[in-house]
Amino acid sequence: MSTESNNPSQIIRVSERVWEPVSPTIKAKTLWSDPASKRRAQLTRFEPGAVLPMHRHIGDELLYVIEGAISDESGITAAGSVGYRPNGCVHAVESRRGATVFALITGGVAPVTGSERGPASQIIRLNEIAWVDAVPGVRQKPIFSDKETHRRVILARFEPGSKLGRHRHVGDEIVFVIEGSNADESGELVAGNMNYRPNGCTHSVSSTNGGTALAFVTGTVEPA
């Protein structure tokens, strides 16, 4: 059987996932998880005044604020910005007016006792990053990279009618569409939904009307 049929991309429709309570004022939807790598993609909703008490990250977390704002000891991460919580980060999180957040989490969290400290969280404001041309009709903003784990995060902008030629994923990729849409052989991926491209996935990507998406990439891609 071919690589293409074994490893197609998977469209995950957020509306079909169930909210689960995290606390009386916080709920979450698990969109994807991989026990082997201890990673999961999650949508979290903070009600106004919600607080996550002080905790330590065992593994790291990258998040994008879709609407509203959240804050911790490093400051406010507002809609359209990215937050990074490195391994060992110790902090508390609150949302005064409410927020919806998409996050890719590696590992978990643990309660904190006493005056424990760790590396600070980081706020990445996407409007401060310049666009870089990738291929004709597609621009990117490099957001995060970690050579040791072969991971990177980019914001990709597809102009109407643009296309990424057929390619193979060496490693996997998670894509969350912020606005517009794009499509591959598995179907159309519209704003607010997620796509998982597993290791070995071979496909092409196009956008009829344009779109903007976050891509969390592990590994590389190669022409197919």
Side-chain angles (χ1 to χ4, degrees):
M1 189 174 290
S2 68
T3 299
E4 291 84 351
S5 59
N6 275 330
N7 297 289
S9 68
Q10 303 165 26
I11 295 176
I12 297 165
R13 296 175 176 85
V14 171
S15 63
E16 297 175 357
R17 300 302 171 101
V18 177
W19 289 109
E20 299 287 349
V22 175
S23 75
T25 55
I26 301 172
K27 56 187 178 182
K29 291 185 178 188
T30 299
L31 306 179
W32 170 86
S33 64
D34 178 30
S37 62
K38 299 181 180 180
R39 292 181 299 157
R40 70 183 186 276
Q42 179 175 299
L43 195 70
T44 305
R45 176 64 194 171
F46 294 80
E47 299 300 328
V51 175
L52 275 175
M54 194 72 71
H55 57 277
R56 182 179 73 255
H57 285 263
I58 305 170
D60 64 5
E61 177 182 4
L62 278 152
L63 62 85
Y64 173 79
V65 179
I66 299 169
E67 62 172 354
I70 57 176
S71 62
D72 69 357
E73 292 78 359
S74 294
I76 298 172
T77 308
S81 293
V82 168
Y84 177 59
R85 289 79 158 90
N87 182 34
C89 174
V90 175
H91 68 161
V93 180
E94 67 174 336
S95 181
R96 293 184 179 180
R97 298 183 179 179
T100 304
V101 176
F102 175 85
L104 183 61
I105 303 164
T106 301
V109 297
V112 173
T113 57
S115 58
E116 185 176 350
R117 294 291 182 267
S121 65
Q122 303 168 25
I123 300 169
I124 304 168
R125 296 176 177 87
L126 300 187
N127 62 354
E128 297 176 356
I129 302 174
W131 288 107
V132 177
D133 291 330
V135 299
V138 180
R139 296 177 294 161
Q140 297 179 350
K141 288 189 177 194
I143 298 171
F144 168 89
S145 66
D146 182 357
K147 292 182 179 179
E148 184 176 343
T149 58
H150 305 287
R151 294 180 302 158
R152 58 193 174 97
V153 181
I154 61 172
L155 183 71
R157 172 64 195 175
F158 290 79
E159 299 300 328
S162 59
K163 184 173 183 178
L164 290 176
R166 195 163 181 79
H167 57 277
R168 179 181 299 106
H169 287 266
V170 183
D172 64 7
E173 179 179 14
I174 286 172
V175 172
F176 180 79
V177 177
I178 296 170
E179 58 93 18
S181 67
N182 61 58
D184 72 354
E185 290 79 356
S186 293
E188 185 178 16
L189 181 66
V190 301
N193 287 338
M194 195 191 103
N195 195 210
Y196 177 64
R197 288 93 185 257
N199 182 35
C201 173
T202 303
H203 66 163
S204 58
V205 181
S206 61
S207 182
T208 300
N209 298 311
T212 306
L214 275 171
F216 301 78
V217 185
T218 302
T220 61
V221 296
E222 59 186 21

